[in-house]
Structure formats: C-alpha cells, structure tokens
Amino acid sequence: MPFPSSTASRRPRALRPPLAPRNHRWPALAVLSVGFFEAQNAAAAPPILSLQDYRAFRSLSVDLQGRLPTLSELDARESSGFSLNGFVDDRLQAGTYASTLRRVYMDRLRLDLSSAFQYVPAANTLRRYAVTTESGASVPVYFRAGQRRQRPETDGVFCLTEAESGLRFPPNAAAVGTAKPVSQAALDAATVLVKPWWLYRDYTTASPTQRFGSNWPESTANFLPAPLLLKENGATDTTFVRVCREEAQATPTGPVMLTRRTPVASGISPPFGRYSQLPLDSGYATAHPTEVLDCTSGLALPNSSACGCGQGLERCIPGTTYNNDPPGFVLPTNSVLGEHMPLGTATGSRSSWSRYWWGEEAAQFLERSFGEDRDVRSLLVGKGTWVNGPLAAFYKFGAGVSWGTGREQAFAYTSPLPVIEPSALPSLAIHDTDSWLPITDRGPNAAGLLTMPIFLTKYATRRARAHAVYQAFLCKDFVAANVALSPSEDPDLAKRPGCSGCHTILEPMSAYFARNVESTWTWLPISNFPVDAPMCRKQGNGSVNASCPTFYDSSFATTSSSFLKGAYGSPANADRGPAGLGADVAASPDFARCVVSTVADALMPGGLGEGDSLASASFTKTFVENGYRIRPLLRAMFTSDIYRSTSNLSSAAWRAAEAP
Amino acid sequence: MNVALCPRMAFRGVIGGFAFFAIGALAGCSKAAPAEPSSNLETVPVTSIPGHESLLEDTSRKSEARLIPQETLIRNYLSIFGGLSPIDLQTRLRAGSTNLFDSWTDYLGALGFPNYESDLPRASRTNALMLASFERIGVALCDKAAEADLGKNARALTDRTVFRFEMPAAAAPLDTQGFTQRFDVLHRTFLSYPVALAPSDRVTNFFALYKDILARHQARDAGVFTSTPAQSAWAAVCYGLVRHPEFHLY
C-alpha cells in the first residue's frame, strides 16, 4: 500500500490521461454560470473537473480561507456530492474571509504608527535607576519623572539624592558619578517594596501570590514582560520591585501641593546635586490651593505629592531603563496573520506597547465587523468596539493623563471627556492580551474607526483625517487642477486660487474633526469650546487672548467673531463631529460603490473596469439591499461569472462571436 | 463591432507600415489623408468586410494571474509544512547547522509585505529579490520536510506533512509510473490540481530532475552527504514546486 488512506481515492485520477486538453474550447458561457455548479451536483457520478475548475477552486480557497486548499478539500471538490455554492456559503458562515477584508482595509488605511511617534506620558511611565545597597547589590528603583515629593531635595526628580547614592540623575540619561551604598534607612525612607501588576496576576489583593507564568490563564498568552522585568540580574526571579515611595501610593485622589517657592535667579546652580531647580507652584495649584485632584488626571503628577501609580502600580507602564522611551514588553514585530501568530517578537519600548494595542484595536474591529457580518457602515458610524486588557487599562487610566496642564485651563477643561465611558469598559485585567470583549457604546462622540486613537494619531491633522476617509471610503482623491497659482493672502484655502479646487471639498470635511485635537484623541466639547468663543475674538487693539491661539484660529478672528481651529470650513460640520462625517459618507451613494470597488479590487485582478458597469451596479444593489452587509456581497461576487473567469489564464478560450 | 470604411485607419496599428501601404493602395485611400479618423466616417459591421464573415471573437474576460497575497503565502507555508506557528516553524528551520533560514522578519520586505508604519504599499508584482526569497525559504522548508519525512529517522507515513507516500525499497528504482504516483501527491499539495492536467512535459522534466539528483548522490561516497540520495532527489522536486510560478500566482 504505497499511499496513505487519505490520498488513496486520488490515485486512479492521478494516473488517468488528462481530462481536458489545455486550451480546449468551453462549450458555452453556461460553463461559467452558477447553474452549472448545481447541475454538476445533481449528477451521481464524480464530476469531471477541468484545469479551470481546479484553478477556480484554488482562487476561492485563497480568497475565502486565506490559504491554498488542502488535499482533503481537493478530495471533497472531486466528490460527487460537492456543491461549490455550499462551499462558499460554509466559508462565509464561518467568517474565514474576514482576514482577507482586514488586509484589504488595513492596506488602504495603514493603521500602524512608526517609532517616530513617541507616547511616553510622564504620568504613567515608570523608568528606573540602579542604586547600590548596603550589601553591595545593585537594585533597580522605579520612579516617575516629574513626581512631586514633600522632600525638597527630590521634589520632581528621582527619589534618592547624590548625597545618599553617590549619583546624580540627569533626565532620561545614565546616572553620573560613583555609586556608593545607600543606607538601608535612606532606602526605606525614600522607597518601598511592591508586588507590581506585571509580576502578579492577583496584584489587587492584599498579598499577591500568582506570579507571572504560574498557572496564568490562556487569555494572557501574549503578555510577556521584558526579561529584565522578570529576573533580577538576569538570574533570580523578581518577586518584589523597589519603587519610590510617592509612586507606590494607591489613593484615588490627592490634595494640591503648594510650596510657595519663588523663582531662582538665573545663573544659580540647582541645589542638592540636582540637574534642575526645585519646581515652583503651577498656576493651577496657585489658583486652586484647596482642590483635591483625581489621581488619574493629567493635573495630578505636577500638582500633588499624594498621587502615585495606584494599587500594584496599575496606572503606570514600566520600563527597564532611564531612557525617555524605555523598553518594557515583548511584542509582535509583525502580526499580519493575527496577534496569535506573530511572525517575530522583540522587546518593545513604552511607546510600542501603546502603539501596538491601538493598531490591534483597529485590526480587530475590522476583522470582527466583517467576520460577524455587521453593517459595513459601522466602520464609520458604529458606537462599539472591541478591547482587550491593555486597551481597557489604557482607556481607564491612560487616555486622559496627557491633558490638563496647558492652555485648556483657560477654558475650564482640565478633565477631558473619556474616549470610552468607564462604565462601558469590560472587566479585564491588563494582562488579558488575548481576551477581546465587545463594547456596545463608547459614548456619544464615537464614530467607528474615525475616533479610535490609532486613526486620530496616524492621521494627525484634521485634513489628513478627512483625506483618509475620502480615499478609503469614497474611493476618491484630491488632484490639483491645472491652474496658475496666483499669490494670495486669503487664509481661506477654499477661496485661494489654485488651492480652492481641492480645498472647497477638503475644508468642510476637515471641519468634522475640529473637535478632535490634532495628534491626539481628546474631544473638545461645545460647552467649553464653542465655534465662536467671545473670549477669543480680536480685541480693540487687534490682539487676541494668549490662551486662544492653541484652540482658535487667529487668522479668522475678528472683533465680532472667532473660529475654533479647523471649523471655518463648516461650523455646522464642526459641531457634528466625526459621527456626522461618518453618517454623511455612509449615506452617500459613492460609499456603497466604493466598498464594492474595494472588495472587487482585492478579489479580481484589475477590479471592476468600465466594461463591468452592469456587474458593478448589480453588486452594489445586492450590497445595499442586504443592509450593507458583506456576506451577501461576497456571495454575489464569488458565484459570479466575472469571479469565475478571473482565474482563466488561457488566452485561447475562444467562443463563437455573437452577432455584432 | 464597427470599423471605418477606410481600412488603413482600422488596421494601421495592428499590421504595421508595409501592410498599411498595401491595404491603403488596395482600398484606394489617399496617402495625404489625415492621420486620425474623423468622427463623420461611415462605419460598417466588421463581419461585412470580405473575409471576416465568420470571425470568432473571444468574449471572455481576460486578466493576468495575480500574486498570492503575502499573508496567504505564509499561511500556505505553514499549512503545507506541518501546521506550526510562524515562530515554531522558524525555530525548526534554524535548527541544525544549515543556516538556510534567517527569520521571517528578515524576509518580510523582500516578500513584498506592506509596511504600514512607513506607509510602504504591498508589492503586487514579483521582483528579483522576491524570487530569491521564495527560493531561499522554499529550499529551507523542503530540506527540513524531506529530512523529517524521508530521512534516516523518517516519520511514520500517517505523520508526514509533505512527502505523504512510501519510498520504494532501496534497491528498487522508480519507474515513470511510480514517480508520477508520488509526484502527483506533491503536485496537488503545492499547485492544487492533479499532474494529469499539467503540461505534458511536466512529469518528464521533474522525473529527469529526480533521476539526475539521485544519480549524482549515488555516485558519491555516502559519507559526503547527511541526506540519502532519494531524500535529496525528492527535496529537489519539492524545490521546483515550492518556487513554481503556479504556486505563487492565482
């Protein structure tokens, strides 16, 4: 018996003479029709398959399953009971096509950020310096840059002084000096031992015991701290970490810290071996001396010594060095096959941790939306999303920490609206990298992909965001008209000669994003940032309030009006936000046509050309009449003559011409 | 299909200058006629032109074969060569001292994967570097599969991933039929159709390759190679299929 049983049924066929000569003539167009498939099924004998049949089946497998057919699938294709329509329906039902569509839309939107985009908020980034203990051991001590402390020597900087450690600690650089043993008393006064979240699954309990790797659930399979976070000196398992005392605090709120220090004259060296002078009271602290701050807000770090990283340091992401963007966790370097099948892994930086999960949110959103056959318009208007542990932690603790200390204080907007309502977040531990749970409603401003952090940072400006939507969901682009550019000082690009050709469309579209701060995801509510803010109008002497240019466009300010940045193209669109843009685009007839065209481009070489207008209209009609769901569209495409003929490589498939 | 009365215009681009003058003269067209047809030229059905009454027209849609998406290519490698995860397969390929495989990450750019971080698009056409990567990865995969399936410590038939057939006894050479039976398993695995439907010289060519490798190995001292002659010969057949244009296009 030379063959295993799984291939035995193929043997006679393998030895038979070719069933269909190459370049033979197909009997009629009916060969390519769906009806022919069913006629084949009705026959009792195994079908006689041609090379074209095999190629078509192979194409179906690649597009529907993302891989070649297996030997057993080929056996099934050759059996008498095989139904090609049934095969298509089974695969559509199983959702195996979703990875293909994820690839198609990720190719269009390219939702991944390069390392040039650094996200290292001081408020939730833990760095570390190594100090020497009395026993001579080198021990890393974790700290937050800018942490306020009651002890002046270390206020705003690392928690041990040069006098105590023999070292000076320049920002984001290696310690300078000759280390000397830190006395145990000094170490105990400035630091504490903590069982942190990255080492203990049960870090929220009083005495955590479930250390990393010991029977952690499957949902944490891709959670992998960098080796230096797991082992001291690369050898001994770390069971505690030493953290500056203030950072280890777990209280949810902290009072404003007021020192009433006065500025130091220039030329005077900082005291205590510091690289910077002692921090002064911020304007906010001076104005709100009795306020109690939320420790998850951006105001907490620079204004309160009572706020730390929370229980088990859960509000902070650790790094293994003192650098600005320190390495922390092992992450996939490429996860195009899904986060469960990375093509490589490497220790990533603090920024990588956030960037990777933001990008994965969009990829999961696309794959799950298509796989579950949801209304495709939800890509633009959907209120829901899916999150895993790291994303839930980001939305709960991290999304607001970069806000509150700037010009927004003048607009009484220091606590930004949450990107996702905390009450909507599922109960996931930050380690649950592999557990993705749905969120049905992120909040009133949510709009599919358009309000996800990855989209708002990848396309950092309002115009870039509008352009991405215009390209990916309307299949249009901006092409400059062939006109002479005459000099103009008109700030309205929709009116400037030469610019207006594109900006007449682009500026009103950009205005939808006027309330999403550029380069980030913070939402500017109408109550604090009306399109026309009286305080930002030009004053009699022509000047503008110093707090306004950050948010309001000085070029359009007059003594009787002002414009929120980016809103001048359409104040109404600015107030409707990305949800308004999503609704308008989804309602456009071009949207459905664009989805059909985008999918066809991926499934059929050359896509749908001018000669396929009838088919294109038919596909679009099927798509729209079935509630903008992808499965009916895919079924129509996969069973169409056009799809069947895309893998027809023979240039000699001649048929008698119809009467011209 | 309608054409203009003056055949010079209709056939100009197709048949070139010599025929142009000949046909132009036959039809009585003036050399001084304008180069482009004007819109008021009378048109007639092409079948009304003598000699074109029974013209066959290919009305089927034509398109070039597409490059298999890069993700699909990797999945194909994974599914054909044992169903391992990419990292596990990489570990297996790097085991030993052959140094045939670096890492997936090293090949992603050459294989044409897009780089969303850098906004580099997906490669939709092959290039020399991509073909070289197909070659290198394919050789590594086939060597390891041949070693596991056909080597000195070959797996049981039911556990094999690629070479799912019995080898003949050492002294019994394969004849064409025996080779074809086994080659068909590989042909269906890699190219998804029976070799009986392939070009008629495919079996001949691959059998010649098989015999050539086999003979070269058998002619040398067995101690020179870590693999058996048959193992090397089947590995070479595998190379030919895993880098075959039909494997990479669809």
Side-chain angles (χ1 to χ4, degrees), chain A residues 301-450:
Chain A
L301 180 73
N303 293 303
S304 176
S305 62
C307 283
C309 288
Q311 190 168 17
L313 307 174
E314 66 177 353
R315 295 197 291 263
C316 294
I317 308 294
T320 60
T321 69
Y322 40 75
N323 300 105
N324 179 53
D325 197 359
F329 291 89
V330 177
L331 292 166
T333 51
N334 191 308
S335 56
V336 290
L337 303 186
E339 82 279 15
H340 296 292
M341 298 185 76
L343 295 178
T345 58
T347 300
S349 65
R350 160 72 186 87
S351 293
S352 304
W353 173 260
S354 296
R355 288 196 307 260
Y356 178 75
W357 296 119
W358 297 343
E360 201 56 34
E361 181 185 9
Q364 293 283 336
F365 181 74
L366 286 168
E367 186 155 344
R368 289 168 189 268
S369 296
F370 287 125
E372 295 179 8
D373 200 21
R374 299 192 173 204
D375 187 330
V376 176
R377 290 174 293 186
S378 70
L379 301 185
L380 297 172
V381 299
K383 296 295 182 191
T385 186
W386 284 265
V387 296
N388 65 352
L391 282 165
F394 165 73
Y395 286 121
K396 187 175 180 183
F397 300 128
V401 299
S402 299
W403 188 260
T405 58
R407 297 290 186 182
E408 55 270 24
Q409 290 180 359
F411 298 86
Y413 188 58
T414 52
S415 295
L417 290 173
V419 181
I420 298 179
E421 297 287 351
S423 59
L425 288 169
S427 178
L428 286 167
I430 190 171
H431 325 101
D432 290 325
T433 53
D434 294 33
S435 182
W436 291 85
L437 296 179
I439 292 175
T440 52
D441 189 359
R442 285 175 284 171
N445 302 318
L449 288 165
L450 309 187

Side-chain angles (χ1 to χ4, degrees), chain B residues 16 19 42 44-45 50 64 77 88 99 104 122 156 165-166 204 206 226 238:
Chain B
E42 185 182 349
V44 296
E64 292 183 348
Y77 287 147
D88 288 343
N99 292 325
W104 291 117
R122 180 183 300 278
F165 47 73
E166 288 284 14
T204 311
F206 273 86
T226 57
C238 178

Side-chain angles (χ1 to χ4, degrees), chain A residues 15-220:
Chain A
L15 296 176
R16 72 193 169 204
L19 297 170
R22 298 184 87 229
N23 303 336
H24 81 292
R25 292 186 180 190
W26 299 115
L29 279 173
V31 170
L32 303 178
S33 70
V34 173
F36 181 74
F37 302 153
E38 302 312 322
Q40 282 186 323
N41 301 334
I48 297 174
L49 301 181
S50 66
L51 182 58
Q52 174 60 18
D53 291 327
Y54 281 102
R55 281 182 171 153
F57 185 60
R58 188 171 186 265
S59 293
L60 263 183
S61 181
V62 168
D63 290 330
L64 264 172
Q65 307 187 106
R67 58 166 173 76
L68 294 179
T70 61
L71 289 177
S72 58
E73 286 168 344
L74 283 174
D75 285 344
R77 175 68 186 93
E78 292 162 343
S79 68
S80 57
F82 183 80
S83 162
L84 206 52
N85 285 353
F87 177 82
V88 171
D89 288 338
D90 282 350
R91 276 19 179 212
L92 288 177
Q93 198 62 37
T96 53
Y97 59 86
S99 63
T100 297
L101 294 176
R102 159 183 160 157
R103 166 173 57 81
V104 168
Y105 274 90
M106 285 298 274
D107 276 4
R108 288 231 158 187
L109 291 164
R110 306 180 301 283
L111 293 174
D112 209 348
L113 290 164
S114 79
S115 56
F117 184 94
Q118 293 201 331
Y119 178 68
V120 280
N124 65 8
T125 302
L126 279 173
R127 301 177 178 86
R128 70 185 203 181
Y129 279 116
V131 298
T132 305
T133 64
E134 285 181 344
S135 65
S138 176
V139 173
V141 176
Y142 291 85
F143 73 102
R144 290 194 296 183
Q147 174 73 52
R148 298 304 305 273
R149 309 182 200 281
Q150 291 293 332
R151 191 162 71 134
E153 292 89 329
T154 57
D155 189 7
V157 295
F158 186 59
C159 56
L160 290 167
T161 64
E162 182 181 18
E164 292 160 343
S165 66
L167 300 171
R168 300 176 71 200
F169 303 96
N172 305 327
V176 175
T178 302
K180 68 177 186 183
V182 180
S183 71
Q184 192 61 44
L187 204 57
D188 288 341
T191 69
V192 292
L193 291 172
V194 172
K195 287 190 168 182
W197 65 264
W198 61 87
L199 289 181
Y200 289 90
R201 174 76 176 167
D202 56 343
Y203 68 89
T204 54
T205 62
S207 300
T209 56
Q210 298 174 24
R211 194 183 174 280
F212 176 79
S214 58
N215 299 320
W216 280 27
E218 273 297 303
S219 61
T220 63

